[in-house]
Amino acid sequence: MTTRGSSADGLLLIGEAEDALKLLANGSRGERYLGGVKLCYLDPPYNTGERFEYYSDRKGSDDWLQALRANLTALRPLLSPEASVWLHLDDSEQHRARVVLDEVFGREAFVATVIWQKRLTRDNRTAFSSMHDYIHVYAPSGPKAWKKVRNGLADGGAFANPDNDPRGPWRSAPMTVQAGHATRSQFYTVITPAGTRHDPPEGRCWTFSAERLSQLDQEGRVYWPRGGHGKPRLKKYEFESAGLAPFTIWAAAEVGDTSSAKKALLRQFPGRPAFDTPKPISLLERIIEVATDPGDLVLDYYLGSGTTAVAAQILGRSWVGIERSRQTVETFAVPRLNSVLGQNRLAPCDIARVSQLPTQERATVRSAVG
């Protein structure tokens, strides 16, 4: 189904992930989706052996891994050169899933593993009380290339302009670095404007050579603390800030936890059993903001209750959601999307089930307009 909000559009399909991914790659609209996905977030059943209200999480490990491999392989043609894949799991299969990710994308595509604090309460029934999940991040272009296109987190540091610098607010940073890879030109005595002499601390060196430090000082980019007696510090301007590199540990206080996600669903759907394993929308918003820009395409082929699509719509990203359970789509995903779509509401009767589409319709991935 195709939807359009204020600045994003989406496609929602019901069916097996591998079938739907192949439709996206081979249909008449393939030119849009081939190489067009900037972010793929995946929150599959973890294979915990449990049976939940809305899905079964019990499968043989070999079968689970085979399905993971097939889906990731079908995903590859859809990924843009700047794409990243975020696979969300717990301890049940995450270590084996890393091997499959290495097989499909190559070991060199691994970027990081994010640890998300999923719960704050203690479970005394188990040997250890598990309080975190893993989100494995892979980028086909490799971590160095992907770093150039990913977004940093908002820089909440304080900037000021006490000297009325025409370049705007700034803050200062030390001008020393570890000496392990330094050149000889980085070891010298600095003489401050007030005549104080400073050598770099033990085991460190100056960030710049004496010539470069002098040039920066002439450009007004050096701050001398303590009335000109302190060690030089580099002025870093607010307009230069590209955001902060995300840490690999994401606390519940920052992005929410499972309990807060369930409470949000219960408030939206009172009297209805909550979706078993929802993710907080703030978690998906952070992932989407780091990995994409407005207008980029976000894919989730384990859509579940629809959190990824809702977050993408709110943030002005295009999205594709694939979910095998029509009940889950109609119970949660469609009403949640309707709540953010305004006049462009989705109609449950218009949702396309991939396996039941006529051949021609499947070839074109016909959109159903709400």
Side-chain angles (χ1 to χ4, degrees):
M1 131 183 9
T2 296
T3 69
R4 186 169 294 279
S6 59
S7 60
D9 62 296
L11 176 70
L12 178 56
L13 295 173
I14 296 177
E16 295 295 336
E18 186 177 3
D19 294 338
L21 292 170
K22 289 179 179 179
L23 281 176
L24 293 175
N26 299 323
S28 64
R29 299 189 183 189
E31 68 277 1
R32 176 183 177 187
Y33 297 110
L34 281 173
V37 174
K38 185 75 172 293
L39 164 66
C40 182
Y41 170 78
L42 301 173
D43 182 25
Y46 294 170
N47 208 23
T48 61
E50 299 183 46
R51 293 190 184 278
F52 295 110
E53 177 77 20
Y54 293 97
Y55 68 94
S56 174
D57 199 17
R58 186 178 300 177
K59 204 169 189 178
S61 183
D62 289 344
D63 293 338
W64 188 92
L65 292 169
Q66 183 177 350
L68 176 68
R69 182 181 293 105
N71 291 340
L72 290 174
T73 300
L75 166 68
R76 287 204 61 169
L78 301 174
L79 297 177
S80 82
E82 299 178 344
S84 58
V85 178
W86 302 55
L87 179 60
H88 192 145
L89 295 168
D90 71 358
D91 275 314
S92 302
E93 296 283 4
Q94 67 86 17
H95 51 302
R96 286 181 278 269
R98 273 288 308 271
V99 176
V100 175
L101 286 163
D102 286 345
E103 291 176 7
V104 175
F105 299 113
R107 295 181 182 181
E108 65 280 1
F110 174 71
V111 177
T113 295
V114 173
I115 303 299
W116 170 53
Q117 185 183 17
K118 66 181 178 182
R119 64 183 300 167
L120 300 173
T121 57
R122 191 183 305 274
D123 184 358
N124 287 314
R125 299 170 299 173
T126 54
F128 279 85
S129 181
S130 176
M131 65 184 304
H132 70 275
D133 279 351
Y134 306 85
I135 308 176
H136 298 309
V137 184
Y138 277 68
S141 63
K144 289 185 179 180
W146 184 72
K147 178 182 179 293
K148 297 178 181 178
V149 298
R150 71 100 171 99
N151 299 311
L153 299 181
D155 188 346
F159 291 88
N161 196 359
D163 58 353
N164 295 316
D165 190 315
R167 285 163 288 206
W170 55 272
R171 64 186 179 195
S172 65
M175 294 184 71
T176 63
V177 294
Q178 292 185 351
H181 298 283
T183 64
R184 186 172 297 181
S185 65
Q186 292 172 264
F187 295 91
Y188 56 93
T189 299
V190 168
I191 302 177
T192 75
T196 303
R197 301 171 68 89
H198 290 291
D199 291 316
E202 187 70 25
R204 299 183 71 82
C205 64
W206 299 116
T207 305
F208 305 104
S209 67
E211 291 76 16
R212 178 59 177 155
L213 175 62
S214 176
Q215 180 183 1
L216 289 168
D217 193 25
Q218 292 176 16
E219 295 172 356
R221 302 203 55 163
V222 179
Y223 167 58
W224 301 93
R226 297 195 291 121
H229 289 279
K231 295 178 181 179
R233 295 176 64 87
L234 181 65
K235 293 170 71 172
K236 293 191 172 183
Y237 296 92
E238 188 173 19
F239 73 85
E240 296 176 321
S241 178
L244 304 175
F247 283 126
T248 54
I249 296 180
W250 293 5
E254 299 174 357
V255 295
D257 60 355
T258 301
S259 177
S260 66
K262 282 189 174 182
K263 289 177 181 177
L265 281 182
L266 287 172
R267 286 194 298 269
Q268 188 170 2
F269 303 101
R272 183 179 298 169
F275 188 74
D276 302 290
T277 54
K279 302 302 181 290
I281 195 165
S282 51
L283 173 66
L284 269 300
E285 286 177 337
R286 172 175 286 191
I287 292 172
I288 291 170
E289 288 178 331
V290 167
T292 68
D293 295 313
D296 285 339
L297 181 60
V298 177
L299 169 66
D300 183 345
Y301 57 77
Y302 296 106
L303 188 64
S305 63
T307 303
T308 302
V310 170
Q313 185 71 37
I314 290 172
L315 295 174
R317 275 65 166 175
S318 300
W319 52 267
V320 174
I322 301 168
E323 170 57 40
R324 65 183 300 181
S325 169
R326 189 181 188 100
Q327 178 190 8
T328 300
V329 168
E330 293 182 350
T331 303
F332 294 107
V334 168
R336 295 182 73 194
L337 282 163
N338 282 342
S339 70
V340 298
L341 281 169
Q343 296 180 351
N344 299 290
R345 292 170 63 85
L346 309 180
C349 61
D350 289 332
I351 299 171
R353 186 185 289 272
V354 172
S355 62
Q356 295 180 355
L357 292 176
T359 302
Q360 182 178 0
E361 189 174 337
R362 288 166 56 187
T364 60
V365 195
R366 189 194 66 177
S367 62
V369 180

